[in-house]
């Protein structure tokens, strides 16, 4: 299959198996001839509501278009309302905090058939855009496009029907009225009736404090309903289509609802029907702003660039504004079903907010993070504990006093502390940090109360959950390595912020406690017999020695002693944890492993991201990148533009009960990509930043746009050739001190470095830099590569080029897998790649009886001793895009096999 050459081409290419297609629209958004369409208005529905002339709805630059897949989740969500359904068009309608209706669908009546044509039977195409989603229904007598919009600021949903037909037809709109709070709130007395004046069904209850309307501005007729109750049958109204009028106009269906008087809901309804074009433009402006104002990539992998763009949009979609509670981050969206009012995890989660903020801090999406930090702090308990979850109905029920869930977890509080610190470091927003400093200190006090045994680490039990909520892995658990990593990083946050706010006593106390906690983490959690870090400490003082993905947090935060970290990372790199599609929470070698268990074997993109980031933190991109690539592919394989919560541990398939649109899954593409692959670390309070890229060695050029640190924005072009790498940096805004850490391959010699003012200052491959050269720069030699650090102050109008040159050396690329839904895990893993001055040792794991190609870059290697497999080498130039190919075949048998391959230095590719 041809590789995509642009973001637009990528949207087609990645959806190839689904017959995707996309065309970049050149038509502008047309101004409507009707005056009412140029400004937002609110007019009575019915005869006086202005018509909606057709206007252009172009493709987005990141549109995803696919053939319809039955039962595949499809969501259109905004800050105040959600259309949650499937690609065939059936949906639930939500206006927070209310589930308004379920079973919403369109059917079509035509003269040729006695029975209506079900929309679900003729839905053929779906186009997902950030601003609007379109389902296309096709029949031999008509084509109907259903454009679905959830406005940015209105408590409602607007559906616009673009009808093309040559026969008389009627559109049947069907739904089951619900009008109920989101879980676990409830009230009674609901009823519905047809309102001729508003051309819609009014949903209400005995006290008329909760109201909704679903209708249209076109002539329509509905059914008579039982008085003072909801019918078991779906409510249906019919819109006769005037074929002449339909050629010029869009047919609207509006949904408005609220915990407010009926007249107020009617006003919202009328505004939706009267302002289709302004609402669309507002949504499009929002999407364009998100894409333009945050970090974007142009890499050799267009599908990765596209996935990052969708992840940024998706992370902004977690922002929900509840009329009772305020605006914060929900955890994810899914269908609630006919017997429930739980739409996935569509309510506020403090821990998820903190996790996702790490991605948004790196991408420069700061305003929603600041708002979400304040929202979470608003509901901090008096003793300082931060809320784990807040129902959308919390303003209507005794949520915080009578339910067990609000402060369920122990990890949420230190994660909030960490999140405030990371936000402050990226943005330099002193005002928000100062406002929330009292909440931070209260959180600190609660964390101290949760550490009682003197080992420096927060305990679980009565303090709440950490990594595990259900299953045998959490039995008798006193503390776990996940919460230990989060807490120790929160202690560093405490030290830095306390110094900033001149609280030396607090900083010293946190520093001493951090030293104690680090000792516990690196001593008590290390299991020399198992050659890995334990999952947790048990109540009786023993350890839970299971191999899990949970050390990923401590690894990501660089908290583990390097030699021991290497041993655990080797194990995490194997298929026992790292499947083709991500990290299993529990090793397949554990007696507790169950590939369908939520905590004891499922694959979670959330922890996949931490494991990948951890591999990068310890300079092991060959074991980390395939995990980043797997999360990327999930954006396109399931709900379009979304990432599922978890997958089977045995097959590449989401769990049946998974939340199909989970934001901490989405964030774990962004976090390891920007913080790991690019090595981006902003430090706005110190007017500085670090860029330490560990790019796949097959990439020759990467352009990074809009790296934000405080008030400064950087654009970077990373270029690689045989024996050289360069970072060309330009900036906008105040000067910033930039440290650039360039990777030097294992075994490289004759290393030179330089900092030039323009791209022309760079030298030919293998030669010394033209300006500011360092003939013998200091290269910090690690186990897997060398790191050459350069630094300069970057100013607007004064670009800088950071360069490194060398001869020889060798790098290995992380083998990736083109995932196919339903496949088992059978790919090859690079477990380790090291050098000893005389050559290199490559350690692989693969499936018995399978053959693989592993790509090497740099010097032409000679094949030495091979143990556990057969191997041959086909030499290329070793330059990006032209690797040496190591072909490895594992012996026949069952299960996974290991191979060690010694590679010696041969002819250098840049003599």
């Amino acid at each position: 299959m041809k590789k995509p050459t642009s973001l637009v081409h990528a949207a087609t290419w990645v959806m190839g198996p689904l017959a995707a297609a996309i065309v970049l629209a050149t038509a502008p958004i047309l101004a409507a001839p009707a005056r009412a369409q140029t400004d937002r208005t609110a007019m009575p529905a019915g005869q006086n509501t202005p018509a909606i002339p057709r206007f252009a709805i172009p493709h987005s630059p990141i549109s995803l278009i696919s053939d319809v897949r039955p039962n595949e989740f499809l969501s259109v969500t905004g800050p105040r309302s959600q259309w949650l359904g499937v690609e065939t068009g059936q949906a639930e309608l939500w206006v927070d905090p209310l589930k308004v209706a379920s079973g919403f669908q369109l059917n079509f009546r035509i003269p040729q058939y006695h029975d209506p044509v079900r929309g679900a039977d003729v839905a053929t195409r779906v186009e997902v855009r950030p601003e609007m989603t379109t389902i296309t229904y096709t029949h031999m007598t008509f084509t109907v496009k259903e454009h679905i919009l959830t406005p940015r600021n209105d408590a409602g949903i607007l559906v616009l029907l673009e009808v093309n037909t040559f026969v008389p037809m009627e559109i049947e709109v069907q739904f089951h009225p619900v009008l109920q709070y989101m879980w676990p709130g409830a009230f009674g007395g609901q009823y519905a009736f047809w309102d001729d004046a508003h051309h819609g069904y009014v949903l209400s209850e005995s006290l008329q404090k909760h109201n909704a309307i679903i209708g249209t501005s076109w002539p329509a007729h509905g059914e008579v309903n039982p008085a003072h109750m909801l019918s078991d049958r779906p409510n249906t109204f019919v819109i006769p289509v005037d074929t002449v009028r339909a050629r010029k106009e869009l047919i609207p269906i509006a949904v408005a609802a609220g915990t407010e008087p009926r007249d107020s809901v009617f006003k919202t309804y009328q505004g939706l029907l009267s302002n289709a074009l302004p609402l669309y433009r507002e949504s499009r402006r929002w999407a364009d702003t998100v894409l333009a104002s945050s970090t974007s990539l142009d890499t050799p992998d267009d599908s990765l660039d596209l996935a990052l763009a969708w992840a940024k949009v998706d992370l902004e979609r977690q922002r929900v504004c509840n009329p009772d509670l305020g605006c914060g981050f929900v955890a994810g969206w899914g269908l609630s079903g006919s017997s429930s009012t739980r739409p996935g995890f569509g309510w506020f989660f403090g821990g998820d907010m903190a996790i996702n903020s790490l991605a948004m801090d790196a991408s420069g999406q700061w305003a929603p993070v600041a708002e979400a930090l304040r929202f979470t702090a608003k509901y901090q308990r008096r003793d300082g504990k931060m809320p784990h979850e807040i129902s959308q109905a919390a303003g209507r029920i005794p949520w915080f006093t009578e339910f067990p869930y609000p402060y369920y977890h122990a990890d949420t509080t230190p994660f909030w502390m960490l999140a405030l610190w990371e936000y402050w470091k990226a943005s330099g927003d002193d005002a928000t940090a100062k406002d929330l400093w009292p909440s931070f200190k209260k959180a600190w006090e609660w964390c101290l109360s949760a550490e009682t045994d003197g080992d420096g680490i927060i305990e679980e039990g009565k303090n709440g959950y950490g990594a595990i909520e259900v299953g045998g892995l959490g039995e008798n658990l006193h503390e776990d390595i996940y919460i230990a990593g989060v807490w120790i990083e929160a202690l560093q946050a405490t030290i830095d912020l306390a110094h900033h706010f001149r609280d030396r006593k607090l900083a010293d106390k946190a520093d001493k406690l951090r030293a104690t906690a680090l000792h516990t983490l690196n001593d008590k959690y290390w299991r020399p017999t198992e050659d890995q870090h334990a999952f947790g400490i048990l109540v009786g003082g023993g350890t839970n020695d299971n191999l899990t993905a949970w050390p990923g947090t401590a690894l990501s935060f660089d908290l583990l002693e390097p030699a021991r970290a290497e041993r655990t990372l080797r194990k995490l790199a194997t298929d026992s944890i790292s499947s083709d599609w991500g990290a299993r929470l529990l090793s397949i070698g554990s007696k507790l492993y169950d590939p369908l268990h939520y905590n004891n074997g499922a694959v979670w993109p959330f922890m996949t991201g931490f494991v990948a980031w951890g591999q990068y933190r310890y300079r092991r991109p060959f074991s980390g990148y395939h995990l980043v690539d797997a999360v990327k592919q999930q954006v396109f394989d399931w709900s379009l533009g979304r990432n599922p919560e978890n997958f089977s541990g045995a097959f590449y398939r989401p769990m049946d009960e998974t939340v199909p649109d989970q934001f901490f899954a989405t964030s774990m593409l962004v976090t390891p990509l920007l913080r790991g692959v690019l090595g981006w670390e902003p430090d706005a309070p110190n007017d500085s930043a670090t860029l330490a890229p560990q790019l796949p060695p097959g990439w020759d050029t990467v352009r990074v746009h809009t790296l934000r640190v405080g008030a400064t924005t950087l654009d970077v072009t990373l270029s690689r050739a045989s024996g050289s790498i360069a970072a060309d940096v330009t900036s906008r805004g105040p000067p910033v001190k930039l440290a650039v850490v360039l990777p030097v391959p294992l075994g490289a010699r004759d290393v030179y470095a330089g900092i030039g003012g323009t791209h022309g200052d760079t030298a030919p491959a293998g030669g010394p830099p033209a300006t500011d050269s360092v003939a013998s720069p200091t290269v910090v030699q690690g186990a897997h590569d060398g790191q050459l650090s350069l630094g300069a102050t970057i100013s607007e109008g004064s670009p800088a080029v950071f360069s490194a040159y060398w001869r020889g050396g060798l790098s290995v690329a992380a083998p990736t897998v083109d995932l196919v839904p339903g496949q088992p895990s059978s790919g090859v893993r690079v477990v380790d790649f090291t050098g000893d001055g005389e050559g290199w040792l490559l350690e692989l794991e693969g499936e018995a009886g399978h053959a693989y190609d592993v790509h090497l870059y740099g010097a032409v290697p000679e094949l030495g001793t091979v143990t556990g497999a057969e191997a041959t080498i086909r030499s290329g130039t070793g330059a990006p895009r032209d690797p040496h190919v190591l072909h490895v075949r594992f012996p026949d048998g069952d299960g996974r096999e290991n191979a060690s391959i010694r590679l010696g230095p041969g002819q250098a590719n840049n003599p």
Side-chain angles (χ1 to χ4, degrees):
M1 184 178 298
K2 185 178 179 182
K3 186 106 167 54
T5 56
S6 67
L7 276 183
V8 173
H9 187 183
T12 306
W13 176 75
V14 297
M15 296 304 299
L18 303 174
I22 186 169
V23 179
L24 192 62
T26 57
I29 301 174
L30 302 179
R35 180 177 176 183
Q37 286 303 112
T38 62
D39 297 295
R40 296 193 60 173
T41 59
M43 301 179 65
Q47 297 296 328
N48 295 324
T49 302
I52 304 175
R54 290 194 181 192
F55 54 86
I57 302 174
H59 300 291
S60 164
I62 64 170
S63 283
L64 297 176
I65 301 180
S66 165
D67 291 343
V68 159
R69 299 166 294 173
N71 302 317
E72 193 62 62
F73 182 72
L74 182 69
S75 63
V76 187
T77 68
R80 301 178 188 276
S81 58
Q82 298 83 37
W83 185 103
L84 306 176
V86 292
E87 291 182 359
T88 46
Q90 303 97 321
E92 300 172 0
L93 309 177
W94 292 79
V95 179
D96 301 316
L98 299 168
K99 181 178 181 179
V100 178
S102 64
F104 176 88
Q105 60 184 328
L106 303 179
N107 301 313
F108 308 98
R109 300 178 180 179
I110 57 175
Q112 287 81 0
Y113 297 158
H114 176 74
D115 294 326
V117 177
R118 294 178 65 248
D121 293 337
V122 293
T124 55
R125 303 280 279 175
V126 60
E127 177 174 1
V128 179
R129 311 177 193 83
E131 66 274 11
M132 174 184 278
T133 286
T134 300
I135 301 172
T136 300
Y137 305 89
T138 60
H139 185 263
M140 65 181 181
T141 61
F142 63 81
T143 295
V144 176
K145 291 186 177 182
E146 179 186 14
H147 305 294
I148 307 161
L149 175 70
T150 49
R152 301 305 306 161
N153 295 297
D154 297 66
I157 300 168
L158 183 61
V159 174
L160 300 173
L161 303 181
E162 184 181 334
V163 179
N164 291 288
T165 182
F166 59 86
V167 300
M169 68 179 298
E170 295 177 323
I171 297 173
E172 181 182 282
V173 182
Q174 187 176 95
F175 61 91
H176 287 275
V178 177
L179 196 69
Q180 186 59 276
Y181 287 140
M182 187 180 291
W183 165 93
F187 58 89
Q190 292 90 335
Y191 59 89
F193 64 90
W194 177 255
D195 182 343
D196 275 325
H198 289 90
H199 296 176
Y201 279 103
V202 175
L203 286 63
S204 192
E205 42 76 31
S206 303
L207 300 178
Q208 297 188 21
K209 293 182 178 180
H210 310 82
N211 296 281
I213 181 170
I214 303 174
T216 181
S217 58
W218 276 46
H221 54 87
E223 300 174 337
V224 176
N225 286 78
H228 308 298
M229 63 180 293
L230 298 178
S231 172
D232 290 335
R233 297 177 58 248
N235 283 17
T236 302
F237 65 91
V238 176
I239 306 171
V241 176
D242 179 332
T243 55
V244 175
R245 184 181 177 189
R247 293 190 194 105
K248 302 176 181 179
E249 298 179 23
L250 299 171
I251 302 174
I253 300 168
V255 182
T259 54
E260 57 188 9
R262 191 174 296 172
D263 287 347
S264 298
V265 172
F266 284 170
K267 184 177 180 180
T268 300
Y269 172 70
Q270 292 157 3
L272 292 169
L273 293 172
S274 302
N275 294 288
L277 182 56
L279 290 170
Y280 167 73
R281 284 175 167 165
E282 185 177 37
S283 186
R284 180 63 186 251
R285 280 194 300 270
W286 163 79
D288 291 345
T289 300
V290 169
L291 293 173
S293 63
S294 53
T295 304
S296 61
L297 295 180
D298 181 5
T299 73
D301 182 355
D302 289 329
S303 65
L304 177 65
D305 308 341
L306 182 64
L308 174 62
W310 269 106
K312 295 187 302 178
V313 169
D314 210 35
L315 288 173
E316 297 259 348
R317 290 176 50 253
Q318 68 187 312
R319 177 179 180 264
V320 166
C321 292
N322 182 289
D324 300 320
L325 304 171
C327 301
F329 285 179
V330 301
W333 295 112
L335 297 175
S336 65
S338 59
S339 61
S340 173
T341 55
R342 290 174 57 119
F345 288 126
W347 55 99
F348 304 104
F349 280 77
D352 296 56
M353 178 281 298
I355 292 163
N356 298 340
S357 73
L358 300 179
M360 301 176 78
D361 294 336
S363 64
Q365 295 170 270
W366 299 333
V369 173
E371 182 181 47
L373 286 165
R374 291 178 182 273
F375 175 88
T376 306
K378 178 180 176 181
Y379 298 100
Q380 186 177 27
R381 205 166 64 184
R382 291 182 64 183
D383 64 356
K385 194 175 189 183
M386 289 293 179
H388 168 63
E389 57 185 287
I390 304 173
S391 166
Q392 296 279 4
R396 304 279 163 161
I397 60 175
W399 173 255
F400 295 101
T401 56
E402 297 186 15
F403 286 84
Y405 310 111
Y407 303 98
Y408 213 38
H409 267 243
D411 60 318
T412 305
T413 303
F415 231 136
W416 182 91
M417 297 165 67
L418 187 163
L420 176 61
W421 174 59
E422 287 286 355
Y423 165 76
W424 173 67
K425 287 198 300 177
S427 67
D429 180 359
D430 259 7
T432 296
K434 183 177 180 180
D435 288 349
L436 294 176
W437 180 236
S439 296
F440 187 101
K441 289 192 291 184
K442 286 176 63 179
W444 155 260
E445 292 295 338
W446 180 85
C447 290
L448 291 185
S449 74
E451 198 288 290
T452 63
D453 59 8
D455 70 355
I457 292 176
I458 287 177
E459 297 137 23
E460 296 171 38
K462 65 182 180 64
N463 297 310
Y465 291 113
I468 299 296
E469 291 182 352
V470 295
L473 188 61
E475 288 183 4
N476 205 31
L477 197 61
H478 178 58
E479 57 190 47
D480 66 54
I481 197 167
Y482 161 76
I483 199 171
V486 171
W487 168 232
I488 295 171
E489 193 72 346
L491 285 168
Q492 186 62 56
T494 306
I495 296 166
D496 286 359
L497 286 168
H499 278 303
H500 182 71
F501 290 118
R502 302 182 185 279
D503 190 338
R504 180 62 180 269
K505 183 178 179 181
L506 175 56
D508 289 346
K509 186 173 182 179
D511 190 42
K512 291 177 182 176
L513 186 58
R514 185 174 186 272
T516 300
L518 270 174
H519 177 76
T520 299
L521 178 65
N522 282 287
D523 185 41
K524 285 188 70 176
Y525 278 84
W526 176 249
R527 311 311 299 156
T529 301
E530 290 78 14
D531 203 27
Q532 68 190 43
H533 289 88
F535 167 62
I537 307 296
L538 300 176
V539 171
T543 55
N544 180 325
D545 295 338
N546 278 283
L547 176 65
T548 70
W550 295 108
T553 55
L555 291 162
S556 295
F557 302 142
D558 196 18
L559 301 177
L560 299 182
E561 187 275 323
R564 291 175 175 179
E566 285 283 345
R567 307 306 297 171
T568 294
L569 284 163
R570 286 172 55 92
K571 291 196 172 186
L572 296 183
T574 68
D575 191 70
S576 61
I577 291 290
S578 292
S579 75
D580 288 355
W581 52 92
R584 300 178 179 92
L585 294 189
L586 180 62
S587 167
I588 60 177
S590 170
K591 292 185 291 185
L592 297 173
Y593 173 73
D594 176 353
L596 302 183
H597 193 282
Y598 191 74
N599 282 145
N600 289 3
V603 167
W604 288 59
F606 150 54
M607 281 309 298
T608 298
F610 274 119
V611 172
W613 187 11
Q615 296 284 6
Y616 274 93
R617 181 70 80 175
Y618 289 84
R619 311 292 299 185
R620 295 170 50 88
F622 46 79
S623 295
Y625 186 72
H626 106 267
L627 298 173
V628 176
D629 188 75
V631 179
K632 172 205 76 177
Q633 293 184 61
Q634 293 160 16
V635 175
F636 310 111
D637 287 346
W638 310 102
S639 180
L640 296 179
R642 318 290 191 245
N643 287 85
E645 176 192 17
N646 51 30
F647 292 81
S648 163
F651 301 104
Y652 179 48
R653 182 82 190 179
M655 305 275 276
D656 285 349
E657 301 303 319
T658 195
V659 173
D661 180 9
Q662 184 81 9
F663 297 118
F664 72 10
T666 297
S667 73
M668 282 307 176
L669 170 66
V670 182
T671 299
L673 178 58
L674 299 188
R675 295 179 180 265
V677 178
L678 291 184
W680 175 240
E681 294 184 12
D683 186 5
N686 292 307
D687 300 317
S688 66
T690 299
L691 185 71
Q694 299 178 67
L695 306 180
W699 290 4
D700 53 359
T701 304
V702 174
R703 294 178 178 85
V704 189
H705 304 284
T706 318
L707 281 172
R708 299 181 65 197
V709 50
T712 302
T713 299
L714 304 180
D715 294 325
V716 181
T717 298
L718 296 164
S719 305
R720 177 158 36 200
S722 295
S724 70
I725 186 170
D728 190 337
V729 184
T730 60
S731 73
R732 301 182 298 281
V736 65
K737 299 183 290 292
L738 182 65
V740 176
V741 182
L742 297 175
V744 177
L746 273 178
R749 64 187 190 279
D750 301 335
V751 179
Y752 289 82
I755 304 174
T758 66
H759 187 72
D761 289 339
T762 58
T771 62
D772 298 334
S773 63
V774 181
S776 299
T778 299
V779 178
V780 177
Q781 191 61 55
H784 313 293
D785 69 355
Q787 300 107 56
L788 193 157
S789 296
L790 302 170
T793 297
I794 309 297
S795 302
E796 189 166 357
S798 299
V801 180
F802 303 82
S803 306
Y805 307 84
W806 60 84
R807 289 186 173 88
L810 193 66
S811 301
V812 59
T816 58
V817 177
D818 290 332
L819 296 172
V820 177
Q823 70 163 73
S825 185
S826 59
V828 65
R829 306 283 178 268
V830 178
V831 176
D832 214 347
F833 180 66
T834 54
D836 58 8
E838 298 182 359
W840 304 272
L841 180 64
L842 178 63
E843 298 179 64
L844 303 176
E845 181 206 56
E847 199 76 11
H850 286 224
Y852 307 95
D853 287 337
V854 178
H855 291 177
L856 305 171
Y857 296 84
V860 179
E862 292 182 351
L863 192 62
T865 303
V866 179
T867 303
E870 299 174 352
T872 58
I873 291 181
R874 185 181 76 248
S875 296
T877 64
R881 300 181 185 262
D882 188 20
H884 314 299
V885 179
L886 176 67
H887 184 74
V888 181
R889 190 184 190 288
F890 288 88
D892 293 339
D894 294 322
R896 305 287 290 183
E897 299 286 346
N898 295 292
S900 295
I901 301 171
R902 171 68 66 173
L903 299 166
Q907 176 187 358
N909 70 329
N910 53 337

